[in-house]
Amino acid sequence: MNNEKNMIDAAKNMGLHTEFEGLVKKEGRLNTQLASNPEDVVGFDYIVQWEGNCYEFYSANPPLIGCTQAKPIPYPLGVAVFNEYNVDYKRAIELFHTGDWGGRFTAIALFKPLHPEIKEPYWYFISDLGVKVVIGANTGDFVNL
């Protein structure tokens, strides 16, 4: 979660004393309809929780620069707030390529479903063959849904 922590640190450095409660969802923006590597993910649309409220914004991935202003939104149903994960999107893409469900993906997202038996957030991919691939964001394990 380096990018998320950098954004929070930047807000604090600007004098915005806010309490970050966690990440709700992170959805990749792709520079092509069929992505195959981390460079194809140009940035992420974030949903975060700060001081009991939910906000949405976009942040570009380096070497691109830019971020939209956070705007308040209603809390999305069916997802939980989480504060950390071990598998970043680059590693998740590497893991995606170890399977036999197509060599490219049309979507990538990170979130934790709101369910008592789910203990970690998941990376979700949709492959070019239409297969939904789910990878644990802490363990790196593939999940059968």
Side-chain angles (χ1 to χ4, degrees):
M1 274 186 43
N2 284 341
N3 200 27
E4 291 88 348
K5 288 181 182 178
N6 289 341
M7 288 184 277
I8 300 306
D9 290 342
K12 288 180 180 177
N13 289 336
M14 292 186 300
L16 304 175
H17 302 288
T18 181
E19 184 63 35
F20 178 68
E21 294 168 19
L23 183 60
V24 178
K25 186 174 182 181
K26 180 175 175 175
E27 189 168 348
R29 286 197 193 177
L30 308 177
N31 66 359
T32 179
Q33 289 183 353
L34 295 173
S36 60
N37 59 59
E39 292 77 26
D40 292 332
V41 183
V42 295
F44 285 94
D45 289 299
Y46 290 88
I47 299 177
V48 297
Q49 187 169 337
W50 275 314
E51 297 181 344
N53 297 306
C54 227
Y55 296 90
E56 178 180 56
F57 63 92
Y58 168 79
S59 180
N61 288 337
L64 301 174
I65 300 171
C67 187
T68 62
Q69 183 173 350
K71 64 179 182 180
I73 62 167
Y75 193 93
L77 297 175
V79 293
V81 174
F82 58 98
N83 289 313
E84 58 185 44
Y85 57 94
N86 299 323
V87 177
D88 69 0
Y89 77 98
K90 293 176 182 178
R91 177 69 180 133
I93 291 170
E94 286 178 21
L95 292 168
F96 169 84
H97 285 301
T98 65
D100 188 23
W101 33 66
R104 297 179 288 184
F105 54 93
T106 61
I108 179 174
L110 172 70
F111 59 92
K112 183 179 179 186
L114 185 60
H115 190 279
E117 292 184 18
I118 294 178
K119 305 298 181 205
E120 68 179 322
Y122 295 140
W123 283 105
Y124 294 85
F125 291 86
I126 298 177
S127 81
D128 56 345
L129 300 178
V131 177
K132 293 179 183 174
V133 180
V134 182
I135 301 170
N138 287 334
T139 61
D141 295 337
F142 291 94
V143 179
N144 292 323
L145 296 180

